[in-house]
Amino acid sequence: MQSPAAARNREPILAVLRDVLPAHGDVLEVASGSGEHVVHFAAALPHLRFVPSDADPDARHSIAAWVEYFGLDNVVAPLALDVLSSTWPLARADAIFCANMIHIAPWEATLGLLAGAGRTLSCGGVLVLYGPYRVGGRHTAVSNERFDASLRARDPRWGVRDLEAVIEVATTHGLAHETTFPMPANNLTLVFRRTALPGEAAMPSAGR
Ligand SMILES: C[S@@+](CC[C@H](N)C(=O)[O-])C[C@H]1O[C@@H](n2cnc3c(N)ncnc32)[C@H](O)[C@@H]1O
């Protein structure tokens, strides 16, 4: 599988990841799709171990093929991870990255992603989300409004989400919104940090 969009946006996303990812540890990618993002990031950030995943078996085949082609030793085999599942196949991660799933899936997928990130991230770990969002109840560009309409025509459960709604749900899972980076083509990168919820014991790091 090849994604022209992933080829275009991987460099701007990598620039943000260089800033926000930890110095070492495990980075889980949720909804890796073709796998072109993870191989690009893993090659550029050899001090981190990347764990790609997707719910779709075809995507997992594509990810494995890209990883083999690049011969990277800091990317593990793709996990079968459906964000809707209450049990994820990885107990702990130091960072989680997810691009372009939130708007191309039902809202329940966003709820599952944020709940799972809250369960899986070690305390102080980061969740990084990339994609288009409405801000203050409005689209940030006419092109995003058209894209939203096309998504909803394909599946009424899909659509560009409200930034504030995502931040509100994230907060309930101990994910504090830290930064919003404006990105090319009217996309945003959101960074959340896993903080302890009231009464919650400190969570260990994923370790190596
Ligand atoms: C538009 S693609 C994005 C792929 C890649 N992250 C990128 O930005 O190029 C959306 C991906 O979300 C995955 N996906 C959809 N629903 C999912 C779910 N419930 N759990 C995990 N992945 C899901 C799809 O299989 C697909 O690979």
Side-chain angles (χ1 to χ4, degrees):
M1 288 163 96
Q2 276 187 299
S3 158
R8 278 196 302 275
N9 60 33
R10 63 191 182 184
E11 269 311 318
I13 296 173
L14 175 61
V16 172
L17 294 180
R18 282 188 196 283
D19 270 2
V20 304
L21 291 183
H24 55 84
D26 289 351
V27 181
L28 169 65
E29 185 184 29
V30 172
S32 299
S34 67
E36 288 158 282
H37 275 151
V38 78
V39 291
H40 188 70
F41 303 153
L45 304 168
H47 52 287
L48 291 165
R49 186 171 78 148
F50 285 81
V51 183
S53 71
D54 206 285
D56 177 3
D58 289 341
R60 295 199 298 277
H61 285 307
S62 175
I63 299 161
W66 277 107
V67 172
E68 189 184 344
Y69 178 75
F70 272 73
L72 296 162
D73 61 8
N74 63 329
V75 187
V76 302
L79 299 178
L81 190 160
D82 185 330
V83 292
L84 298 175
S85 168
S86 56
T87 320
W88 284 13
L90 183 75
R92 192 66 67 224
D94 300 295
I96 297 177
F97 171 70
C98 180
N100 294 321
M101 184 200 71
I102 280 183
H103 54 288
I104 312 185
W107 174 242
E108 287 71 26
T110 302
L111 301 180
L113 170 65
L114 297 172
R119 288 193 305 272
T120 309
L121 276 177
S122 42
C123 200
V126 286
L127 170 67
V128 183
L129 304 179
Y130 170 87
Y133 292 88
R134 285 161 36 114
V135 180
R138 308 173 78 93
H139 287 289
T140 60
V142 174
S143 56
N144 281 11
E145 191 170 355
R146 290 200 189 112
F147 181 46
D148 187 28
S150 72
L151 289 171
R152 291 175 195 276
R154 280 168 68 188
D155 188 326
R157 300 169 306 161
W158 295 4
V160 174
R161 309 299 174 194
D162 285 307
L163 172 69
E164 296 81 2
V166 173
I167 291 173
E168 190 182 328
V169 176
T171 309
T172 66
H173 297 291
L175 301 163
H177 176 238
E178 222 171 54
T179 324
T180 299
F181 292 91
M183 304 296 287
N186 305 301
N187 288 294
L188 299 176
T189 296
L190 314 180
V191 180
F192 299 84
R193 193 160 301 275
R194 181 69 167 90
T195 55
L197 287 163
E200 191 177 59
M203 301 167 80
S205 153
R208 291 291 304 267

